[in-house]
Amino acid sequence: HVQLVESGGGSVQAGGSLRLSCTASRSSYCMGWFRQVPGKEREGIASISDDGNPSYADSVKGRFTISRDNAKDTVYLQMNSLKPEDTAMCTCARGPRPRSGVCYLEPGPYNFWGQGTQVTVS
C-alpha cells in the first residue's frame, strides 16, 4: 500500500507564498497536485513526470512551480502571488505513465492519494 503525506499548508494573506511538500512511500512516473473546495469538483493544479516535465492549470501558470526530488520520493509545489480564490484543500497523488508521457491534470488516472493540506488565502 502506497502512502502520501502532505505538509506546508497554512493561512497567508493575498500576495503571499507557501511551499507544499508531499512525500510518498513510493513515488510514481506521474505526481500531481490537486485542490478542492466544498461543493466543487476536484481541480488539477500541476503535475510532473519523473523526468521533470511539468504541466499546469491555466489558473496557476506563472505563479506556481511544481518540482520533485526522486531520491526522496517527494514532490513540491511552490505557490507564489496567492489569491483568495486559491483557498482550498490541496492534495497530492501519484499515477502511472500515460502513453503520451505527459502527466494528466485530470484526477481520474491517479491511483493513490494523500489526505490533503489546507491552504487559506485572505
Side-chain angles (χ1 to χ4, degrees), residues 4 12 15 18 21 28 30-31 33 47 49 72-73 79 89 99 101 114 116:
L4 297 96
V12 296
L18 286 172
S21 299
S28 183
C30 288
M31 297 293 292
W33 282 100
S47 63
S49 62
K72 297 181 179 179
D73 288 323
M79 311 166 73
M89 177 65 73
R99 184 172 298 180

Side-chain angles (χ1 to χ4, degrees), residues 30-107:
C30 288
M31 297 293 292
W33 282 100
F34 299 81
R35 64 186 179 189
Q36 190 170 22
V37 297
K40 292 190 176 182
E41 292 188 354
R42 181 175 280 164
E43 173 193 19
I45 304 172
S47 63
I48 188 167
S49 62
D50 69 357
D51 58 356
N53 185 29
S55 298
Y56 296 99
D58 288 344
S59 58
V60 305
K61 280 181 181 176
R63 300 189 297 123
F64 293 8
T65 302
I66 190 170
S67 61
R68 64 190 287 173
D69 184 336
N70 291 335
K72 297 181 179 179
D73 288 323
T74 299
V75 60
Y76 305 97
L77 186 67
Q78 179 66 43
M79 311 166 73
N80 297 331
S81 302
L82 282 161
K83 305 175 182 180
E85 51 264 44
D86 293 318
T87 295
M89 177 65 73
C90 294
T91 307
C92 72
R94 52 159 275 171
R97 185 187 191 281
R99 184 172 298 180
S100 67
V102 178
C103 294
Y104 297 112
L105 288 175
E106 294 77 19

